[in-house]
Amino acid sequence: MRFRLAAVACVLLLAALSASAQTPPTPAPLPPDPTDANKPRSVPGFDPGALDRSAQPCNDFYQFACGGWLRNNPVPPDRARYGRFDELTERNQATLRDILESVSKPDPKRNPIDLKIGDYYASCMDEATIEKKGVAALKPQLDRIAAIKTKAELAAALARLHNTGVSGLFRFGAQPDFKNAKVYIAAVDQGGLSLPDRDYYLKDEARFADVRKLYPGHVQRMLELLGDTPETAGREAQTVLDIETALAKGALERVKRRDPANIYHKVSRQELAALAPGVDWNAYFTTTGAPAFSELNVAWPDFFKGANEVLGAKGLEDWKTYLRWHTVHDSAPLLPAAFVSENFAFYGKTLTGAKELRPRWKRCVDLTDEQLGEALGQRYVEKTFGTEGKERTARMVAALEGALQRDIKDLPWMTDTTKQQALTKLAAIANKIGYPEKWRDYSTLSIVRGDALGNSERADAFEQARDMAKIGTPVDPKEWGMTPPTVNAYYNPLENNINFPAGILQPPFFERTMDDAVNFGGIGAVIGHELTHGFDDQGRKFGPDGNLADWWTEQDAGEFEKRASCIADEYSEFTVAGGVHLNGRLTLGENTADNGGLRIASMALKDTQKGQAVPPRDGFTPAQRLFLGWGQIWCQNETDESAKLRAQVDPHSPGRYRVNGVVVNMPEFQDAFSCPKGAPMVKENACRVW
Ligand SMILES: [Zn+2]
């Protein structure tokens, strides 16, 4: 339940949507499985049954590729969104459940890893014990908050909460120094909000104002569950909303945060103290266990100026209320059922439109993965991942890198000087496939059977200590930012590497028995997507060694911006539920990566099949199957609430536009399906960056 310091890693999709970084995992869900809900379902690669043959590929390619699937796979009641990604996530979850159930039996002969993950999972599943403990499980935390006597003591109290995974006021952690990315420095960043975005506190549009109106009621009910009277809790809820609204005013907007220069301000500790003198920074840093340091990144200094004012303006009791709220909010998933359902009613139902809480085992599998990911991940990899998957993926990465290299060399708009720099950066991209070479050592973490919340707090404290120890030390590029079963991938601009966890190297992304065309449209385009992130509007600002550095000539940078604006304008026209527009600037990096990724996947497929006459399969040529492979990984149904929320916070476009928004720009697509000029899937002024 720990919140991570936001870095600038570019993931393939934002899977879990949480309000603050640490609301409960999004309802993720079982599609009805008539045979056995525990048995991993197989997920097909390319599926002709998912097509809608009554649709015309040149009119609406997404409908053609996914219409059948969309019709047959409504959003299950315990989810807000359901797509083919999620089918695979479901399958991985079932595998993890098998592992966890077999190691959670209290057998004294279990090895240390099985003991930890087994006891963690068993404690999480043990609802009877959780009910019996009731609010007492939170008492030590709440008592410490109650004991705060002066505002000066707030800083150390906040640090103690941060150490055990409770959020509040701001965030603190280790982060590669943007201008010396081989070394970790300390960094503080904005935080302390419980709604998904600053706009929910500040804007009048109904989609924000409606949520804001319901929020205090939720805070009040949670505080009543802690034992406060309705009158007191009602007043406290207003206090929480007031404090968070004041903090939101100083927070930097999501789109502006995409420019790394906006979130990099390295200052001395004295300068931080001058910025926010109301915080006892020495007490805060000492209590977090951070080693001595003299400089740090203050991501967005104005936030700390603003927070300092709020700190002065609100009384001690108000701040204690704010901390109590964050404590109960962040602990909700492992508290008694009344807390879990109230938390779901607001963060699940109201915010995302999910109708039912996910079964407990799924929530506990997710929590184990989140908190002990590299212990559970070892078992997952042993059970599922062969060396063959790794080798074939490595070969595809090489093919995609070759295609991107050629693409850069042939770009008509870039001068040779910048091309040379781009090629140097591309050659320096490292790739990681499957799982870490060296697993995290959890031996100092104590997991106690029957203490679900305590286990979670200790696991957070373990991660916090690991994070603090990084400050001032070299960055380890072999460390992973995702756990092995994760169905996702990422590019890390500060390490200049691409990462593909074992969880995604399966159908529908990659299938051993499938033809190259479909695999290139799936995992191939995903690899291309991650590579392109090194050269999107954000990634292009980092050099081959991960440092924030401008390697572009002014002319080439101008040409890039012109082309990127075409993409931004295109996607800003797209709408989701209730006519809400996508934000083309928020989604620019992802859309650029989708466009570049599929283009180089198409080039790589042609290279691979050069000189061969590959016959059609299921009635489709290889070129068509490439696009169908891409189209089908994005088949996705979603509630209106979720679509509106994501339009505000998710840097990724919804499935429909990840497909149609890309193919309209590709002459390769027009050729493959013989689309006439003027067809809806043929954009008159096609956008192209890479
Ligand atoms: Zn991405």
Side-chain angles (χ1 to χ4, degrees):
M1 285 184 281
R2 186 181 157 72
F3 50 102
R4 290 213 184 95
L5 196 64
V8 276
C10 306
V11 304
L12 180 66
L13 84 164
L14 193 64
L17 244 196
S18 42
S20 61
Q22 52 179 319
T23 34
T26 336
L30 190 66
D33 187 332
T35 50
D36 176 4
N38 300 342
K39 206 174 100 224
R41 296 164 12 121
S42 75
V43 180
F46 170 65
D47 178 7
L51 299 171
D52 174 359
R53 290 182 191 266
S54 71
Q56 292 302 317
C58 298
N59 288 346
D60 183 347
F61 184 63
Y62 179 71
Q63 182 62 32
F64 179 73
C66 290
W69 190 95
L70 296 172
R71 204 171 40 241
N72 295 325
N73 294 276
V75 182
D78 62 352
R79 295 199 76 117
R81 184 171 80 166
Y82 189 66
R84 296 199 77 216
F85 258 87
D86 306 296
E87 288 183 317
L88 179 51
T89 302
E90 290 287 328
R91 181 162 170 259
N92 287 348
Q93 272 188 326
T95 306
L96 296 176
R97 183 195 199 180
D98 284 349
I99 295 169
L100 288 168
E101 296 214 322
S102 79
V103 299
S104 62
K105 299 183 183 82
D107 177 352
K109 290 200 291 287
R110 287 176 295 168
N111 67 42
I113 288 176
D114 291 346
L115 201 73
K116 285 216 161 77
I117 56 177
D119 285 351
Y120 182 97
Y121 180 75
S123 310
C124 180
M125 290 298 291
D126 184 0
E127 289 180 270
T129 301
I130 291 173
E131 290 298 327
K132 207 163 81 198
K133 283 194 182 170
V135 183
L138 264 190
K139 196 165 181 297
Q141 299 264 40
L142 297 176
D143 284 352
R144 277 197 295 273
I145 295 171
I148 303 171
K149 294 210 171 48
T150 64
K151 268 198 195 176
E153 290 172 25
L154 279 170
L158 186 64
R160 275 190 293 273
L161 290 173
H162 286 178
N163 287 350
T164 52
V166 174
S167 64
L169 196 55
F170 59 82
R171 294 175 295 164
F172 172 58
Q175 182 185 67
D177 185 340
F178 286 12
K179 295 204 170 159
N180 179 23
K182 299 276 181 274
V183 176
Y184 282 112
I185 55 169
V188 288
D189 201 347
Q190 65 193 38
L193 308 183
S194 309
L195 291 176
D197 188 87
R198 70 193 288 284
D199 287 357
Y200 282 84
Y201 296 92
L202 306 174
K203 293 216 167 148
D204 292 333
E205 287 159 66
R207 62 183 159 131
F208 306 125
D210 291 351
V211 169
R212 180 164 71 235
K213 232 175 273 161
L214 294 169
Y215 175 54
H218 166 65
V219 177
Q220 173 176 345
R221 285 187 291 279
M222 290 293 273
L223 293 173
E224 282 179 43
L225 288 172
L226 282 186
D228 298 359
T229 66
E231 296 71 35
T232 308
R235 270 198 315 276
E236 290 169 331
Q238 192 54 45
T239 299
V240 168
L241 180 63
D242 289 348
I243 289 182
E244 292 186 355
T245 304
L247 292 175
K249 286 182 184 151
L252 186 64
E253 297 93 327
R254 221 168 263 275
V255 170
K256 291 192 180 142
R257 287 183 62 89
R258 288 189 43 73
D259 183 346
N262 286 341
I263 51 168
Y264 182 72
H265 300 91
K266 202 164 145 183
V267 302
S268 66
R269 275 176 68 158
Q270 289 79 359
E271 286 169 290
L272 172 64
L275 204 60
V279 179
D280 184 345
W281 291 103
N282 289 335
Y284 176 82
F285 291 132
T286 307
T287 311
T288 59
F293 60 88
S294 54
E295 289 183 314
L296 76 166
N297 180 27
V298 178
W300 181 240
D302 280 0
F303 175 81
F304 289 88
K305 248 187 257 172
N308 191 64
E309 278 171 32
V310 192
L311 203 54
K314 291 280 169 188
L316 177 63
E317 288 311 310
D318 289 345
W319 282 104
K320 286 161 78 166
T321 296
Y322 171 81
L323 296 181
R324 276 177 87 228
W325 152 247
H326 275 266
T327 302
V328 66
H329 169 57
D330 290 330
S331 310
L334 292 171
L335 289 174
F339 291 87
V340 174
S341 24
E342 174 54 37
N343 187 56
F344 171 74
F346 184 71
Y347 285 100
K349 262 190 198 155
T350 302
L351 268 169
T352 77
K355 290 176 184 60
E356 283 172 15
L357 186 64
R358 280 185 313 159
R360 186 155 192 106
W361 72 264
K362 292 193 178 181
R363 287 177 275 139
C364 289
V365 163
D366 277 359
L367 281 171
T368 317
D369 177 51
E370 204 177 307
Q371 299 211 286
L372 287 163
E374 288 200 14
L376 177 57
Q378 285 182 54
R379 294 291 172 263
Y380 173 80
V381 164
E382 285 162 12
K383 203 166 166 170
T384 63
F385 197 60
T387 49
E388 200 221 29
K390 202 164 180 160
E391 283 156 15
R392 269 189 77 169
T393 311
R395 277 204 298 279
M396 289 187 83
V397 170
L400 268 294
E401 282 171 346
L404 181 53
Q405 192 183 51
R406 207 147 38 77
D407 176 66
I408 292 171
K409 283 183 183 158
D410 293 347
L411 279 187
W413 55 269
M414 191 184 263
T415 62
D416 283 343
T417 324
T418 307
K419 276 186 186 175
Q420 232 7 279
Q421 300 283 332
L423 291 169
T424 304
K425 178 168 182 181
L426 172 62
I429 294 180
N431 57 68
K432 304 214 299 273
I433 298 166
Y435 53 91
E437 278 173 32
K438 193 168 163 268
W439 295 103
R440 192 163 301 165
D441 174 8
Y442 292 98
S443 55
T444 58
L445 168 59
S446 142
I447 297 296
V448 179
R449 205 170 171 102
D451 186 13
L453 187 62
N455 289 338
S456 167
E457 290 172 0
R458 283 184 294 272
D460 283 330
F462 171 86
E463 279 305 319
Q464 165 82 350
R466 221 171 60 77
D467 195 45
M468 291 298 107
K470 288 178 178 174
I471 295 171
T473 70
V475 170
D476 175 9
K478 293 189 169 168
E479 186 178 345
W480 280 71
M482 282 178 184
T483 67
T486 307
V487 183
N488 210 334
Y490 68 100
Y491 169 74
N492 184 341
L494 291 156
E495 295 175 358
N496 198 26
N497 58 21
I498 50 177
N499 302 265
F500 307 95
I504 197 173
L505 304 175
Q506 306 176 64
F509 295 92
F510 171 78
E511 189 168 15
R512 211 164 40 82
T513 55
M514 197 49 79
D515 50 324
D516 282 339
V518 168
N519 282 336
F520 273 88
I523 196 70
V526 169
I527 295 167
H529 172 106
E530 300 307 337
L531 286 171
T532 307
H533 269 316
F535 306 92
D536 69 17
D537 60 312
Q538 192 176 58
R540 79 175 188 88
K541 294 179 174 160
F542 294 87
D545 48 8
N547 290 341
L548 187 58
D550 190 359
W551 46 269
W552 293 66
T553 66
E554 203 174 312
Q555 181 200 334
D556 289 330
E559 291 294 325
F560 177 94
E561 288 302 337
K562 216 159 65 190
R563 284 164 176 78
S565 292
C566 180
I567 301 247
D569 294 344
E570 176 194 336
Y571 285 78
S572 288
E573 291 294 311
F574 296 143
T575 55
V576 296
V580 171
H581 280 259
L582 295 189
N583 182 337
R585 286 283 158 191
L586 176 65
T587 54
L588 178 55
E590 296 302 334
N591 297 332
T592 304
D594 282 347
N595 277 270
L598 189 56
R599 182 181 317 277
I600 61 172
S602 158
M603 291 169 67
L605 175 66
K606 276 189 203 135
D607 290 348
T608 306
Q609 296 187 330
K610 203 179 275 165
Q612 301 169 41
V614 182
R617 197 163 150 175
D618 305 314
F620 296 105
T621 66
Q624 292 173 332
R625 290 173 67 82
L626 170 97
F627 289 103
L628 289 168
W630 173 253
Q632 289 204 344
I633 62 177
W634 299 113
C635 302
Q636 181 183 91
N637 280 310
E638 186 168 22
T639 64
D640 287 357
E641 291 86 344
S642 170
K644 282 191 261 188
L645 171 56
R646 282 181 186 271
Q648 178 66 19
V649 303
D650 191 344
H652 306 85
S653 301
R656 163 175 298 278
Y657 302 122
R658 295 193 79 158
V659 176
N660 287 355
V662 173
V663 300
V664 295
N665 289 323
M666 293 184 70
E668 298 90 332
F669 174 80
Q670 293 168 44
D671 289 349
F673 287 94
S674 308
C675 297
K677 246 194 174 150
M681 291 294 104
V682 180
K683 196 169 185 282
E684 201 185 329
N685 297 306
C687 302
R688 175 170 178 181
V689 181
W690 297 103

